[in-house]
Amino acid sequence: MRVLGALALASLLAVPLWAGEPSPASSAGPGPRITVEPQSFDFGQALQNRTLSKEFTIKNFGATDLVIERVTTTCGCTTAPLDEKNKVIKPGGSTPLRVSLQTRESTGIMSRSVLIKSNDPEKGFYEIKVQATVVAAGR
């Protein structure tokens, strides 16, 4: 009976008590590790022909320098420029990334992505999503 009790206790201790992805601190490895806060952003309702902006923070929770190789967007209506001086992020460091979305003549839900290519061996490409619901000026 004691053996069964010990086995039951050992099996409970071996099962994680949380679900989902590991926290950045618990999965920090020997290389660079990228995360972005927030991971996505919804501007809500916006008028046509507006430029919407949101600042994101790129963080390195790894043990070596994170190198941002390039930042691209899925549409010419979205920009996310990153200064050369901000392309290397030290362990524990961060850098801002300002993303702008131009609503132009669109109406309805507008969803775009920003792709960050880095030297993170687990997430070579990191995707940020931005969205807005564009309405005509007279509505």
Side-chain angles (χ1 to χ4, degrees):
M1 189 68 166
R2 286 186 189 178
V3 172
L4 288 177
L7 286 174
L9 179 61
S11 67
L12 284 175
L13 293 175
V15 175
L17 297 177
W18 48 268
E21 290 187 23
S23 70
S26 68
S27 62
R33 297 289 184 260
I34 189 173
T35 190
V36 179
E37 293 179 3
Q39 294 178 354
S40 62
F41 188 76
D42 187 343
F43 290 102
Q45 280 199 348
L47 295 174
Q48 291 175 317
N49 297 308
R50 304 286 184 205
T51 299
L52 311 172
S53 292
K54 171 67 179 166
E55 187 170 287
F56 292 82
T57 302
I58 303 171
K59 295 182 177 185
N60 178 8
F61 63 92
T64 60
D65 287 356
L66 176 70
V67 178
I68 306 301
E69 296 171 17
R70 71 179 175 269
V71 179
T72 58
T73 61
T74 55
C75 176
C77 62
T78 309
T79 59
L82 186 65
D83 290 336
E84 281 296 319
K85 65 179 180 156
N86 294 336
K87 289 191 173 185
V88 176
I89 305 169
K90 297 290 184 193
S94 65
T95 194
L97 177 68
R98 178 156 299 276
V99 175
S100 295
L101 174 67
Q102 296 174 354
T103 60
R104 298 184 179 172
E105 297 291 325
S106 300
T107 57
I109 295 176
M110 185 176 198
S111 182
R112 301 293 184 262
S113 293
V114 176
L115 299 172
I116 303 170
K117 174 142 179 43
S118 74
N119 65 335
D120 181 329
E122 292 182 16
K123 292 183 183 176
F125 282 96
Y126 194 102
E127 182 178 20
I128 302 170
K129 292 192 177 243
V130 292
Q131 178 175 304
T133 303
V134 184
V135 296
R139 298 177 97 190

